[in-house]
Amino acid sequence: MVVDCCVPLVFFPLPPSRQHLHKMANSTMVTEFLLMGFAEGWKLRFLYSMLFLLMYLATLLGNLLIVTVTTADQNLHTPMYFFLRNLSVLDMCYISVTVPTACVNTLTGHRAISLAGCATQIFLVIFCAFVEILFLTIMAWDRCVAICQPLHYSTIINLQFCVHLTLASLLSGLVYAGAHTGNTLQLNFCGSNEVPQFFCDVPSLLRLSCSDTSSNELSIFISAVVVCGGCFIFIAMSYVRIFSTVLRFPTQEQGKAFSTCVPHILVVTVFLSSISYVCLQPSVTSEGTQDIGPSVFYTIVPPLLNPIIYSLRNKQVKEAVRKLILRRVYSRKK
């Protein structure tokens, strides 16, 4: 008698192949990235590098002049110029994170940046951009209180309150930048290590990752909507109140008020629209030249324009600069 027995088949997992092990090793052993230059060809590289270097030096000179003048002149020790001084210091740090390294890399052709250096750039760019948005929002609110509630301005916005707002902005920026930087560094990178950008940023690294980046993209989208959208709504509401109040002013005063508000609106619009475009665009492989334009608008243009818009058009700052120059000339003659 023959007994037909059904013997279950057990499949044991096969050992990983050498190619699979090599791919896994490559995805966790990335030690450096290659940044993209401003252009191809030595002449264009030199031209773009000199252009961005001049913009960098002009930004440092303009913001350093603001810091010096608002610190030296006692008449400018007010909440408005307190925020302006902090914004100038932040702008000097902001543009120093990306432009000097990019210019050196473009001129020398040495495009490599270490993993630690890339992480540092990501953290500092996110931190400066986040705090910049908060400072622009605070300055819009400061204008709103000064125009709409001038009699209560000194009680609502005093020096202690300004310091607390600044510290809260800086601390929240550290938390925000640290969270996004940590989430990005947890990814695995395989294949190409060429960053399609002249500095390390999160969207570019997401395109290079071989990990599932859906959670990272979702967090970027939500944070961009909450931070940029929330600040934009707050600034818009502030200016609605400002315009409704200014329209009741005499015609001559209306022109002065509008002339100081419109430049601030332009800077806020350029900054928020460019950074929102970079954060909200799909994380797909694309040509790097498409990403440089918006990145320049939110990393280089605002620090360059802020001294012109917020100070050089201001009569009090112009008078303080004139006094400072005359004081230096008089001291040299002695």
Side-chain angles (χ1 to χ4, degrees), residues 61-70 76 80-89 91 139 143 259-260 263-264 267 303-322:
L61 180 61
N63 285 285
L64 185 61
L65 181 63
I66 293 174
V67 174
T68 303
V69 169
T70 56
L76 300 182
M80 174 182 174
Y81 295 103
F82 174 83
F83 291 125
L84 181 61
R85 182 164 55 250
N86 290 336
L87 183 66
S88 297
V89 174
D91 283 338
M139 294 178 71
R143 290 170 179 265
S259 65
T260 58
H264 178 265
V267 170
L304 177 64
L305 293 182
N306 285 343
I308 301 174
I309 291 175
Y310 296 116
S311 298
L312 299 183
R313 294 173 58 91
N314 189 292
K315 293 182 178 180
Q316 289 182 303
V317 175
K318 287 182 180 180
E319 183 65 21
V321 171
R322 190 183 66 84

Side-chain angles (χ1 to χ4, degrees), residues 103-179:
C103 290
V104 172
N105 292 345
T106 302
L107 290 175
T108 61
H110 180 72
R111 302 187 299 150
I113 183 173
S114 63
L115 183 61
C118 191
T120 303
Q121 272 196 339
I122 291 174
F123 178 84
L124 292 177
V125 167
I126 295 176
F127 171 79
C128 292
F130 181 84
V131 179
E132 179 98 1
I133 294 175
L134 295 184
F135 279 175
L136 291 175
T137 306
I138 293 173
M139 294 178 71
W141 177 64
D142 176 78
R143 290 170 179 265
C144 180
V145 176
I147 295 176
C148 301
Q149 298 176 287
L151 299 179
H152 303 282
Y153 178 78
S154 58
T155 57
I156 296 176
I157 303 180
N158 51 52
L159 183 58
Q160 184 179 5
F161 186 65
C162 294
V163 173
H164 290 166
L165 278 179
T166 303
L167 292 178
S169 301
L170 296 176
L171 292 177
S172 58
L174 292 175
V175 175
Y176 184 87

